[in-house]
Amino acid sequence: MKRLKTIGLVAVLVLVVSACSADSDTTTTGGGATTTTGAAEPTTTASSGETTTSAGGDNPLAAYDEDPTAADPALVEKALGQVDPSDEASWNIVLASIARANQDLAAAGIDIDKAMECWSEPECDTGSGGDLVMGYADGGGNTVNVWRAVSHMEAVLQALTYPEIGTIVSTAANFDPDVAVHISGIQFLIQREVDFIVGYPDVGVGLRDVLLLAHDAGIPYTSFSAGWVGLPDQEGALVPGDDYLSVVGEDLCALGESFSEVLNTGVGTGEVALLGGTPGNALTLGWQRCTISSLADGVDLVNPPPDENTTTGDTFWFNPAIPDVFRGLLTTSPEIKGYAYEYADGLFTGLQVYDELGIPVQNLTLALRTDEQTLFCDWAERNEPTYNIWFSAGGNFQSRTSVTAAMMASKGAEVPGEIVVPHVMRQVTADDCHADRVDPVVSGTSLVPDEVLALMFAG
Amino acid sequence: MTARRIPSSALTSFVVGSRYMPVYLALLLLLVVASIWAPAALGSVALRSVAPYGALLGITALGQMLVIMTGGIDLSVPGTFSLAAVIMVGVGNQSDDRIGVAILTAIGVAALVGLVNGILIGGLKLNALIVTLAVGQVVIGVVNRYGRTFSVQSPVPTGWSEWTTTRIAGVSPVFWIGLVITILLIVAFRYTTVGRRFQVVGANPVASQVVGVRVNQNQISAYVVAAVLYAIAGMALAGLIRTPGISVGTRYLLGPIAAVVIGGASLTGGLASPLSTLAAALFLTGLNQMMLTMGLPTSLQLVVFGLVIIGGMLVSGDRIIKAVERVLRERRRPRRIESETTNSSIGTG
């Protein structure tokens, strides 16, 4: 209630400020207080629970059949929290993709059975009669990870809003440690002559050659969840915008600094650890570099990487491997006071090692990217005042942004090589545990409607 | 003549008796290295955490050991392991009342997988490597299909996960299960006819066949019992990590084979020691734990782990015996030739 009052107050203040400054053509962003002043350029306002895009009343993406102004502010906040917009080109694409995430599937003309078919089958005819074939190449897969399953469904639902897309072809490498398996999935999509590929490159630069092959074949590749095919300064890295269409995701360095800010404040003085996914993956490497460099004095990292091109705390995002990493950390440092990690459910698995070893979950601060309910409900159940969690967003919807970016490019739009998704850290409260949600491992910020989730995870 | 044989036979006996020694030396070395570079890895917290996971690898390795003793190999471990884990999720259906049914189902289905392996290898004499690889693929396919019948990343029943993480005498019950299975196998091999017959068949299947031992039956039963052991390990791991997933067994393909070989068994079949195999499993798990404690990067961990397995293979099993025997034979040869020459001189002189 107190929170609602605060939000309401901020919203009113923002409206007043906006009204006062209208003459000077200034747009103010509330909730995070970023002020942008421009002349006739389209500007974006993101204020407490209310997000609008204006361009002198024009839709800046109308030429590509997209409408960022139609994004439901409630959905924007659900997916991202109260964020400051990213750069204009990125933000418009982000909003345009959310604008298509209509929660009323019937109203959006999406057949739920068709969505399920396209999600569960390797290939489906969308029934639209469209000529385009969308390829979806996941390094994980529906059957191995809920986050991947939901991201896949987000992409499917987004694709079904485009009548031009007549076929969806999906491949999954199921986290196979063999890079060849990941490569063959994309090779198959090239041979299948898809028109564009959306995916997450788990093996990073391991996909370099096959993605160049796709590029040569005129098949644009767009990754999501900051799935860089190698970070810009990594050997063998591809250049988004040149070698592949685009990478959708947070500014990784800013995300890493947000994590360190949470740890610096929450821990004060003490030991912290960083965890990551597959060794050397760009997402982990990107934020870990900046977290490490911005940790405050007195906050000691117990598992520093040997060099800046190596990730630390590699968990492979694979639950059976996660306890090993926690045991290694807790053996030497049972007094760890904070963790930064992308994967909330993985941390939930790790906390079981605390229970196993009889180490109390106290004086602990977590800085996370995703928001699986398992961890949040476990946090609520523990009811430990010295244990606090901060998270940014699950980011499942980013696969929608990738689809939209690819579709815009197919219509001749100039898509930025990096589509930056803004983020903000939010503290977990009891409201973030939805015990009756369809599946406890689903992110609270996913834009897949509950009725679809129910079918996906009902078993 | 007798005076010359005693020292060499005593030496040979010592070497034969010490075929299982390398693993204990390796454990000792690990303790020394850990006490210098990663003393925290020897703390009570670390040892308590290594125990259940070491036992998991040990149980799986004991299954693989039974198969290897018959001259076979089982590459269907990841499939059977994962199948048992997902059965705990699917049949368990997050209900403590269904734990018993889930356990029985997992064991029964795993035994069936073992029986198929056993019949194809022991009965139809097909190649063990290919058969178990193929059966393993079929099982993984079944696990994938079965995994779709319930929500991905679903947990096992709470009661099961709580039980596996409780402590008996300070350690997880999974460790004690591993120890009990090891003791049972030792007792069976030493004091029961079935156990001794099993060892004889492994050591010399042709001779066993000649004296009327049912070699095929032995091979089949080895695969069945092994599969049940994989299932026990799979169920236990599912309890420890709560949400096992369909790929939970992938890490248990090479580890158990490495443990068996480092534990002194020969891949060509024959004698093996359950206690040494368990010790090897604890050694490998402890090594992994030590590398994690030392904060080695993943790439280096994999390299060290691989090198240690190769090193273990080089010094374990029959290799030392054969090398020593070769040396002894070569030392004896000149004397024999010399004595033969002397005898011949006497005869002709």
Side-chain angles (χ1 to χ4, degrees):
Chain A
M1 194 65 192
K2 195 177 170 186
R3 192 176 162 212
L4 282 174
K5 278 182 183 171
T6 311
I7 290 171
L9 185 65
V10 173
V12 170
L13 282 172
V14 166
L15 285 173
V16 171
V17 171
S18 299
C20 292
S21 58
D23 291 342
S24 59
D25 197 15
T26 301
T27 302
T28 302
T29 305
T34 298
T35 306
T36 313
T37 306
E41 288 180 4
T43 52
T44 307
T45 301
S47 60
S48 316
E50 191 177 345
T51 303
T52 56
T53 296
S54 60
D58 292 334
N59 168 10
L61 303 181
Y64 314 111
D65 303 324
E66 302 292 347
D67 187 3
T69 63
D72 179 350
L75 284 187
V76 175
E77 179 161 358
K78 182 183 181 189
L80 294 166
Q82 294 169 32
V83 292
D84 294 338
S86 48
D87 66 279
E88 181 192 315
S90 296
W91 185 237
N92 278 332
I93 298 173
V94 170
L95 289 180
S97 62
I98 295 177
R100 288 178 175 269
N102 193 331
Q103 298 298 286
D104 185 348
L105 293 183
I110 294 175
D111 178 8
I112 196 166
D113 293 333
K114 181 57 75 181
M116 284 302 295
E117 180 194 339
C118 292
W119 175 75
S120 55
E121 299 298 328
E123 181 164 338
C124 81
D125 181 342
T126 65
S128 70
D131 293 331
L132 294 182
V133 180
M134 177 177 104
Y136 187 90
D138 192 359
N142 291 357
T143 56
V144 292
N145 185 279
V146 168
W147 192 92
R148 300 306 180 103
V150 175
S151 294
H152 185 197
M153 180 53 94
E154 300 257 20
V156 166
L157 290 173
Q158 192 79 347
L160 291 177
T161 66
Y162 292 95
E164 301 93 325
I165 299 176
T167 308
I168 300 171
V169 185
S170 303
T171 63
N174 295 325
F175 296 129
D176 199 298
D178 185 356
V179 177
V181 175
H182 297 251
I183 291 171
S184 71
I186 293 176
Q187 268 173 342
F188 166 72
L189 293 175
I190 295 170
Q191 285 159 9
R192 178 63 185 75
E193 296 180 335
V194 299
D195 291 286
F196 64 91
I197 300 172
V198 166
Y200 185 80
D202 284 81
V203 293
V205 289
L207 294 181
R208 176 190 161 86
D209 291 343
V210 75
L211 288 180
L212 288 176
L213 208 63
H215 180 71
D216 293 344
I219 302 171
Y221 174 81
T222 312
S223 65
F224 56 87
S225 199
W228 291 78
V229 186
L231 288 176
D233 60 345
Q234 271 185 294
E235 194 179 338
L238 296 184
V239 180
D242 289 342
D243 300 321
Y244 59 108
L245 180 64
S246 188
V247 53
V248 175
E250 297 92 328
D251 175 337
L252 290 178
C253 198
L255 183 67
E257 286 167 353
S258 297
F259 286 171
S260 62
E261 199 179 323
V262 167
L263 294 178
N264 291 343
T265 310
V267 172
T269 308
E271 294 178 325
V272 298
L274 305 186
L275 301 164
T278 45
N281 82 87
L283 167 64
T284 304
L285 188 60
W287 69 256
Q288 282 191 350
R289 279 176 175 177
C290 294
T291 301
I292 293 168
S293 62
S294 54
L295 284 175
D297 289 342
V299 178
D300 300 323
L301 181 61
V302 298
N303 62 337
D307 56 68
E308 67 165 14
N309 288 317
T310 307
T311 50
T312 185
D314 302 325
T315 66
F316 295 81
W317 296 312
F318 182 51
N319 277 12
I322 291 170
D324 285 347
V325 178
F326 271 81
R327 279 196 304 277
L329 290 169
L330 291 171
T331 297
T332 45
S333 313
E335 301 286 327
I336 287 175
K337 287 184 173 178
Y339 293 95
Y341 191 23
E342 311 94 346
Y343 182 31
D345 187 56
L347 219 139
F348 170 65
T349 301
L351 286 185
Q352 290 159 36
V353 177
Y354 275 78
D355 298 339
E356 187 186 300
L357 299 180
I359 299 174
V361 179
Q362 291 170 345
N363 298 314
L364 200 59
T365 301
L366 308 181
L368 305 167
R369 180 168 178 258
T370 63
D371 57 333
E372 283 84 6
Q373 302 292 297
T374 41
L375 181 72
F376 293 0
C377 292
D378 178 70
W379 171 85
E381 198 178 312
R382 287 180 192 269
N383 193 26
E384 168 55 51
T386 61
Y387 165 37
N388 293 296
I389 306 175
W390 293 76
F391 74 103
S392 60
N396 293 115
F397 89 97
Q398 291 183 16
S399 61
R400 289 177 180 267
T401 310
S402 293
V403 175
T404 292
M407 286 304 294
M408 284 173 59
S410 75
K411 294 169 187 172
E414 285 287 330
V415 172
E418 183 183 1
I419 298 174
V420 179
V421 178
H423 77 275
V424 64
M425 298 304 287
R426 294 175 261 185
Q427 185 166 14
V428 173
T429 67
D431 295 341
D432 293 308
C433 165
H434 304 284
D436 56 346
R437 197 167 169 86
V438 177
D439 185 296
V441 194
V442 172
S443 286
T445 53
S446 163
L447 297 185
V448 174
D450 275 2
E451 58 179 325
V452 180
L453 291 171
L455 286 175
M456 289 167 67
F457 299 115
Chain B
M1 195 159 176
T2 312
R4 277 173 61 192
R5 269 185 191 170
I6 286 170
S8 67
S9 65
L11 184 63
T12 306
S13 303
F14 171 74
V15 174
V16 170
S18 67
R19 64 178 286 145
Y20 305 120
M21 195 174 283
V23 66
Y24 299 106
L25 291 176
L27 260 177
L28 193 66
L29 188 65
L30 183 72
L31 289 174
V32 172
V33 171
S35 64
I36 297 168
W37 283 331
L42 299 178
S44 62
V45 170
L47 295 178
R48 214 162 48 215
S49 67
V50 164
Y53 291 89
L56 274 180
L57 181 60
I59 295 167
T60 317
L62 288 170
Q64 187 70 264
M65 181 197 78
L66 294 176
V67 171
I68 285 176
M69 283 174 77
T70 66
I73 194 159
D74 194 344
L75 301 185
S76 66
V77 180
T80 313
F81 194 104
S82 300
L83 183 61
V86 296
I87 284 174
M88 282 308 291
V89 176
V91 177
N93 199 24
Q94 299 182 43
S95 163
D96 289 353
D97 297 338
R98 296 184 60 80
I99 292 174
V101 184
I103 291 173
L104 291 176
T105 309
I107 288 176
V109 173
L112 194 65
V113 173
L115 188 65
V116 172
N117 275 332
I119 290 172
L120 291 173
I121 295 159
L124 301 178
K125 300 295 174 198
L126 298 180
N127 182 285
L129 191 104
I130 306 299
V131 165
T132 55
L133 194 61
V135 170
Q137 287 299 305
V138 172
V139 175
I140 287 170
V142 170
V143 170
N144 270 279
R145 186 72 196 87
Y146 180 58
R148 290 184 179 207
T149 62
F150 50 85
S151 185
V152 60
Q153 286 182 257
S154 292
V156 297
T158 312
W160 180 244
S161 58
E162 282 178 353
W163 184 76
T164 54
T165 51
T166 53
R167 288 193 216 136
I168 300 172
V171 187
S172 163
V174 176
F175 173 77
W176 298 115
I177 290 174
L179 199 62
V180 166
I181 291 172
T182 307
I183 292 168
L184 284 176
L185 284 173
I186 292 170
V187 170
F189 285 156
R190 285 200 183 166
Y191 303 110
T192 69
T193 314
V194 175
R196 279 197 291 266
R197 195 188 299 145
F198 188 84
Q199 286 180 296
V200 169
V201 170
N204 195 335
V206 178
S208 304
Q209 186 90 47
V210 171
V211 297
V213 176
R214 291 178 179 174
V215 174
N216 299 356
Q217 208 175 42
N218 241 50
Q219 282 179 317
I220 293 169
S221 59
Y223 281 95
V224 172
V225 176
V228 169
L229 291 179
Y230 309 149
I232 290 171
M235 290 186 292
L237 183 60
L240 286 171
I241 61 173
R242 294 188 197 176
T243 53
I246 58 170
S247 311
V248 69
T250 50
R251 286 153 38 103
Y252 288 85
L253 177 62
L254 293 180
I257 297 173
V260 174
V261 175
I262 292 174
S266 165
L267 281 173
T268 52
L271 293 175
S273 158
L275 192 61
S276 299
T277 303
L278 180 68
L282 292 172
F283 164 73
L284 290 173
T285 311
L287 176 70
N288 192 40
Q289 171 79 14
M290 191 187 75
M291 288 192 293
L292 284 165
T293 305
M294 290 170 71
L296 294 187
T298 308
S299 50
L300 201 54
Q301 286 177 35
L302 294 171
V303 169
V304 172
F305 203 75
L307 289 175
V308 166
I309 290 174
I310 292 170
M313 288 184 73
L314 285 173
V315 298
S316 67
D318 293 337
R319 288 183 167 272
I320 292 177
I321 301 168
K322 284 177 180 169
V324 171
E325 280 182 344
R326 203 178 305 126
V327 170
L328 288 174
R329 214 173 289 138
E330 281 175 7
R331 277 188 181 173
R332 270 186 222 156
R333 194 176 296 153
R335 288 182 198 164
R336 203 177 295 154
I337 291 167
E338 195 182 318
S339 75
E340 278 169 8
T341 314
T342 313
N343 291 340
S344 131
S345 311
I346 291 168
T348 54

mmCIF file of all heavy atoms in Angstrom, chain B residues 153-172:
data_model
loop_
_atom_site.group_PDB
_atom_site.id
_atom_site.type_symbol
_atom_site.label_atom_id
_atom_site.label_comp_id
_atom_site.label_asym_id
_atom_site.label_seq_id
_atom_site.Cartn_x
_atom_site.Cartn_y
_atom_site.Cartn_z
ATOM 1 N N GLN B 153 11.974 -29.278 -15.191
ATOM 2 C CA GLN B 153 12.566 -28.820 -13.920
ATOM 3 C C GLN B 153 11.625 -28.994 -12.736
ATOM 4 O O GLN B 153 11.687 -28.240 -11.753
ATOM 5 C CB GLN B 153 13.025 -27.360 -14.021
ATOM 6 C CG GLN B 153 14.304 -27.203 -14.846
ATOM 7 C CD GLN B 153 14.797 -25.775 -14.908
ATOM 8 O OE1 GLN B 153 14.626 -25.096 -15.909
ATOM 9 N NE2 GLN B 153 15.417 -25.305 -13.851
ATOM 10 N N SER B 154 10.748 -29.994 -12.835
ATOM 11 C CA SER B 154 9.891 -30.287 -11.678
ATOM 12 C C SER B 154 10.729 -30.951 -10.587
ATOM 13 O O SER B 154 11.693 -31.656 -10.876
ATOM 14 C CB SER B 154 8.769 -31.248 -12.083
ATOM 15 O OG SER B 154 7.885 -30.603 -12.942
ATOM 16 N N PRO B 155 10.342 -30.770 -9.331
ATOM 17 C CA PRO B 155 11.132 -31.363 -8.239
ATOM 18 C C PRO B 155 10.689 -32.786 -7.897
ATOM 19 O O PRO B 155 9.580 -33.204 -8.249
ATOM 20 C CB PRO B 155 10.850 -30.425 -7.070
ATOM 21 C CG PRO B 155 9.483 -29.888 -7.344
ATOM 22 C CD PRO B 155 9.301 -29.859 -8.829
ATOM 23 N N VAL B 156 11.529 -33.492 -7.182
ATOM 24 C CA VAL B 156 11.161 -34.797 -6.626
ATOM 25 C C VAL B 156 10.286 -34.523 -5.394
ATOM 26 O O VAL B 156 10.243 -33.386 -4.911
ATOM 27 C CB VAL B 156 12.412 -35.608 -6.216
ATOM 28 C CG1 VAL B 156 13.270 -35.925 -7.413
ATOM 29 C CG2 VAL B 156 13.236 -34.864 -5.171
ATOM 30 N N PRO B 157 9.614 -35.531 -4.862
ATOM 31 C CA PRO B 157 8.832 -35.291 -3.647
ATOM 32 C C PRO B 157 9.715 -34.700 -2.531
ATOM 33 O O PRO B 157 10.869 -35.100 -2.357
ATOM 34 C CB PRO B 157 8.333 -36.688 -3.268
ATOM 35 C CG PRO B 157 8.318 -37.438 -4.555
ATOM 36 C CD PRO B 157 9.462 -36.910 -5.353
ATOM 37 N N THR B 158 9.157 -33.771 -1.796
ATOM 38 C CA THR B 158 9.930 -33.075 -0.753
ATOM 39 C C THR B 158 10.528 -34.057 0.255
ATOM 40 O O THR B 158 11.676 -33.910 0.689
ATOM 41 C CB THR B 158 9.008 -32.084 -0.006
ATOM 42 O OG1 THR B 158 8.304 -31.331 -0.981
ATOM 43 C CG2 THR B 158 9.809 -31.128 0.859
ATOM 44 N N GLY B 159 9.738 -35.051 0.611
ATOM 45 C CA GLY B 159 10.206 -36.030 1.595
ATOM 46 C C GLY B 159 11.480 -36.724 1.149
ATOM 47 O O GLY B 159 12.378 -36.998 1.957
ATOM 48 N N TRP B 160 11.557 -36.986 -0.145
ATOM 49 C CA TRP B 160 12.737 -37.669 -0.683
ATOM 50 C C TRP B 160 13.960 -36.752 -0.621
ATOM 51 O O TRP B 160 15.035 -37.177 -0.184
ATOM 52 C CB TRP B 160 12.460 -38.121 -2.125
ATOM 53 C CG TRP B 160 13.615 -38.830 -2.771
ATOM 54 C CD1 TRP B 160 14.321 -38.418 -3.857
ATOM 55 C CD2 TRP B 160 14.185 -40.084 -2.387
ATOM 56 N NE1 TRP B 160 15.304 -39.324 -4.168
ATOM 57 C CE2 TRP B 160 15.246 -40.355 -3.285
ATOM 58 C CE3 TRP B 160 13.912 -41.004 -1.366
ATOM 59 C CZ2 TRP B 160 16.022 -41.504 -3.183
ATOM 60 C CZ3 TRP B 160 14.706 -42.150 -1.277
ATOM 61 C CH2 TRP B 160 15.739 -42.389 -2.174
ATOM 62 N N SER B 161 13.796 -35.510 -1.037
ATOM 63 C CA SER B 161 14.951 -34.605 -1.016
ATOM 64 C C SER B 161 15.371 -34.321 0.427
ATOM 65 O O SER B 161 16.563 -34.191 0.722
ATOM 66 C CB SER B 161 14.653 -33.309 -1.765
ATOM 67 O OG SER B 161 13.555 -32.661 -1.214
ATOM 68 N N GLU B 162 14.402 -34.243 1.318
ATOM 69 C CA GLU B 162 14.755 -33.994 2.722
ATOM 70 C C GLU B 162 15.523 -35.179 3.303
ATOM 71 O O GLU B 162 16.475 -35.004 4.062
ATOM 72 C CB GLU B 162 13.491 -33.714 3.543
ATOM 73 C CG GLU B 162 12.985 -32.289 3.317
ATOM 74 C CD GLU B 162 11.707 -31.994 4.066
ATOM 75 O OE1 GLU B 162 11.135 -32.936 4.663
ATOM 76 O OE2 GLU B 162 11.266 -30.830 4.040
ATOM 77 N N TRP B 163 15.099 -36.377 2.920
ATOM 78 C CA TRP B 163 15.778 -37.562 3.452
ATOM 79 C C TRP B 163 17.218 -37.646 2.968
ATOM 80 O O TRP B 163 18.127 -37.946 3.748
ATOM 81 C CB TRP B 163 15.026 -38.838 3.042
ATOM 82 C CG TRP B 163 15.659 -40.048 3.659
ATOM 83 C CD1 TRP B 163 15.553 -40.457 4.956
ATOM 84 C CD2 TRP B 163 16.541 -40.978 3.015
ATOM 85 N NE1 TRP B 163 16.307 -41.588 5.158
ATOM 86 C CE2 TRP B 163 16.919 -41.923 3.988
ATOM 87 C CE3 TRP B 163 17.034 -41.105 1.719
ATOM 88 C CZ2 TRP B 163 17.775 -42.983 3.686
ATOM 89 C CZ3 TRP B 163 17.883 -42.163 1.423
ATOM 90 C CH2 TRP B 163 18.248 -43.089 2.411
ATOM 91 N N THR B 164 17.431 -37.352 1.688
ATOM 92 C CA THR B 164 18.800 -37.463 1.166
ATOM 93 C C THR B 164 19.725 -36.401 1.759
ATOM 94 O O THR B 164 20.941 -36.572 1.756
ATOM 95 C CB THR B 164 18.833 -37.335 -0.371
ATOM 96 O OG1 THR B 164 18.178 -36.125 -0.743
ATOM 97 C CG2 THR B 164 18.177 -38.510 -1.054
ATOM 98 N N THR B 165 19.142 -35.296 2.240
ATOM 99 C CA THR B 165 20.007 -34.252 2.813
ATOM 100 C C THR B 165 20.048 -34.283 4.348
ATOM 101 O O THR B 165 20.705 -33.441 4.961
ATOM 102 C CB THR B 165 19.566 -32.848 2.342
ATOM 103 O OG1 THR B 165 18.171 -32.709 2.564
ATOM 104 C CG2 THR B 165 19.859 -32.623 0.881
ATOM 105 N N THR B 166 19.342 -35.253 4.939
ATOM 106 C CA THR B 166 19.481 -35.383 6.403
ATOM 107 C C THR B 166 20.862 -35.983 6.699
ATOM 108 O O THR B 166 21.594 -36.340 5.770
ATOM 109 C CB THR B 166 18.431 -36.336 7.012
ATOM 110 O OG1 THR B 166 18.486 -37.571 6.305
ATOM 111 C CG2 THR B 166 17.053 -35.738 6.984
ATOM 112 N N ARG B 167 21.185 -36.111 7.941
ATOM 113 C CA ARG B 167 22.503 -36.667 8.268
ATOM 114 C C ARG B 167 22.388 -37.826 9.228
ATOM 115 O O ARG B 167 21.638 -37.754 10.210
ATOM 116 C CB ARG B 167 23.390 -35.589 8.874
ATOM 117 C CG ARG B 167 23.820 -34.601 7.847
ATOM 118 C CD ARG B 167 24.929 -33.744 8.377
ATOM 119 N NE ARG B 167 24.738 -32.408 7.830
ATOM 120 C CZ ARG B 167 24.859 -31.298 8.526
ATOM 121 N NH1 ARG B 167 25.169 -31.357 9.790
ATOM 122 N NH2 ARG B 167 24.690 -30.143 7.959
ATOM 123 N N ILE B 168 23.120 -38.863 8.915
ATOM 124 C CA ILE B 168 23.229 -39.987 9.835
ATOM 125 C C ILE B 168 24.697 -40.013 10.263
ATOM 126 O O ILE B 168 25.583 -40.127 9.411
ATOM 127 C CB ILE B 168 22.833 -41.316 9.143
ATOM 128 C CG1 ILE B 168 21.385 -41.229 8.661
ATOM 129 C CG2 ILE B 168 23.036 -42.508 10.082
ATOM 130 C CD1 ILE B 168 20.936 -42.378 7.795
ATOM 131 N N ALA B 169 24.919 -39.882 11.533
ATOM 132 C CA ALA B 169 26.286 -39.759 12.077
ATOM 133 C C ALA B 169 27.050 -38.650 11.355
ATOM 134 O O ALA B 169 28.223 -38.795 11.019
ATOM 135 C CB ALA B 169 27.024 -41.095 11.957
ATOM 136 N N GLY B 170 26.376 -37.583 11.092
ATOM 137 C CA GLY B 170 27.033 -36.410 10.523
ATOM 138 C C GLY B 170 27.181 -36.399 9.016
ATOM 139 O O GLY B 170 27.669 -35.435 8.443
ATOM 140 N N VAL B 171 26.782 -37.495 8.367
ATOM 141 C CA VAL B 171 26.967 -37.585 6.914
ATOM 142 C C VAL B 171 25.645 -37.978 6.247
ATOM 143 O O VAL B 171 24.805 -38.649 6.858
ATOM 144 C CB VAL B 171 28.052 -38.645 6.565
ATOM 145 C CG1 VAL B 171 28.376 -38.623 5.083
ATOM 146 C CG2 VAL B 171 29.318 -38.401 7.361
ATOM 147 N N SER B 172 25.493 -37.554 4.994
ATOM 148 C CA SER B 172 24.274 -37.871 4.240
ATOM 149 C C SER B 172 24.053 -39.384 4.162
ATOM 150 O O SER B 172 25.011 -40.156 4.017
ATOM 151 C CB SER B 172 24.406 -37.303 2.826
ATOM 152 O OG SER B 172 23.474 -37.904 1.974
#
